Amino acid sequence: MKHKLFEPYTIKNITLKNRIVMSPMCMYSSDNQDGYAQPFHLTHYESRAAGQVGLIITEATAVLPEGRISHEDLGIWSDEHIEGLQKINEGIHRHGAKAGIQLAHAGRKANLRDEIFAPSAEAFSASMKVPTEMTKEDIQRTVEAFREGAGRSKKAGFDVIELHGAHGYLINQFLSPLTNKRDDEYGGTRENRYRFLRETIEAVKQEWDGPLFVRISGEEYHEDGNTMDDFIFFAREMKSQGVDLIDVSSGGVVPAAIDPYPGYQVTFAEQIKQGADIDTGAVGLITSGNQAEEILQNERADLIFLARALLRNPYWPKEAADELGYPLEGPRQYTRGW
Ligand SMILES: Cc1cc2nc3c(=O)[nH]c(=O)nc-3n(C[C@H](O)[C@H](O)[C@H](O)COP(=O)(O)O)c2cc1C
């Protein structure tokens, strides 16, 4: 039997040894509230690389201090952050895995002491702060911060950049009519709502010619939100700008009850893949090798992103390989137990 989960995947100059991706997960562990990587981060990411994950995408990393989700987020808003991120990458690369970074700005979902910013001055919920509506200068400054973040990511040795355009964070707040109430060229039509992401991608590309992913929420769980037709429009725009892969998640734009089930977001990845003819990543309650193989072999997505399954078991790739009867090589030191 073919084992697509363990087939290499090449994008631009990078070849992943398999299709298993560690999905970005905030660890809220920058304990000194300064955005620096801590010993915990080194162990956390290197152990998943030892577990034979093909691509490890580190957690949402803030391009500006006011773009953090919490005070304990990782940051990349200064050159001083590069060294810690470089150490994470060395650990990941030691095991033949590739390293990605998720560049992020939380917008109105920043849970911080200081002023927060968003496309429009509306809070996410009654318990969250009301953000300040971004001026054109704020927008420019933020786009520039993504550009600088991309330059620092390159210096830190990352192989892939993923822009966080999902879960109701800043980029998503511009894209969605539920959160973008602007009447200037950044709001209104979907072309205008896309403008912030367009400028961000253009800025990132000034510094970065490697693989570029964008994570989006492919369903907003609200009747007035973006539709699949809108997401396919955004995906085509991203493709024409040179984005290599869309990592398709869902939700988080407005408070909404979601009742998840195995693979509940795969259909969004599949529709975007077919509608925009672009590679996609599937994520969300994917827990077994057989489930991953079904998604890949039916060409519903190109990469499999796993979050909680990898928190439970850093050796998930070994578990999936055993399930699929694939002879996965492990770290030399672990041969006797493999
Ligand atoms: C602890 C934790 C932190 C997360 N942080 C992020 C994040 O930083 N960026 C992001 O895009 N998604 C984040 N997510 C969402 C996951 O990447 C993933 O999309 C989601 O958990 C569904 O996948 P799963 O069913 O395999 O866990 C987080 C999820 C968890 C459990």
Side-chain angles (χ1 to χ4, degrees), residues 173-337:
Q173 288 159 34
F174 273 97
L175 291 176
S176 176
L178 299 173
T179 45
N180 183 340
K181 306 286 169 60
R182 300 178 72 92
D183 54 15
D184 63 2
E185 68 267 34
Y186 290 94
T189 63
R190 64 187 184 184
E191 285 79 4
N192 279 356
R193 299 198 308 276
Y194 183 73
R195 193 177 309 277
F196 179 75
L197 179 53
R198 177 187 300 289
E199 291 178 0
T200 301
I201 293 169
E202 276 167 10
V204 163
K205 293 208 97 168
Q206 286 172 27
E207 305 284 339
W208 179 262
D209 57 5
L212 181 61
F213 297 2
V214 179
R215 173 166 271 201
I216 64 165
S217 279
E219 167 63 70
E220 298 183 349
Y221 305 103
H222 189 292
E223 57 184 11
D224 299 325
N226 280 312
T227 63
M228 185 44 71
D229 189 59
D230 296 321
F231 296 123
I232 290 172
F233 167 80
F234 295 142
R236 288 194 180 129
E237 294 296 308
M238 288 186 243
K239 184 180 177 187
S240 74
Q241 288 193 270
V243 168
D244 298 289
L245 178 137
I246 304 194
D247 163 15
V248 187
S249 184
S250 75
V253 184
V254 288
I258 304 173
D259 203 4
Y261 50 86
Y264 69 108
Q265 298 174 143
V266 176
T267 179
F268 312 135
E270 182 173 18
Q271 290 175 68
I272 289 170
K273 180 175 169 60
Q274 281 161 8
D277 189 24
I278 188 167
D279 283 6
T280 58
V283 66
L285 279 182
I286 301 169
T287 53
S288 77
N290 275 317
Q291 196 190 352
E293 199 60 29
E294 181 276 321
I295 295 165
L296 294 171
Q297 295 220 29
N298 282 317
E299 298 187 3
R300 305 175 72 197
D302 301 275
L303 294 178
I304 301 296
F305 285 59
L306 301 162
R308 289 164 293 180
L310 279 171
L311 288 186
R312 287 190 291 277
N313 179 9
Y315 298 96
W316 186 91
K318 167 69 174 154
E319 187 182 292
D322 288 349
E323 186 188 333
L324 295 169
Y326 178 79
L328 180 70
E329 270 186 41
R332 174 185 58 78
Q333 296 89 336
Y334 295 179
T335 309
R336 291 186 64 185

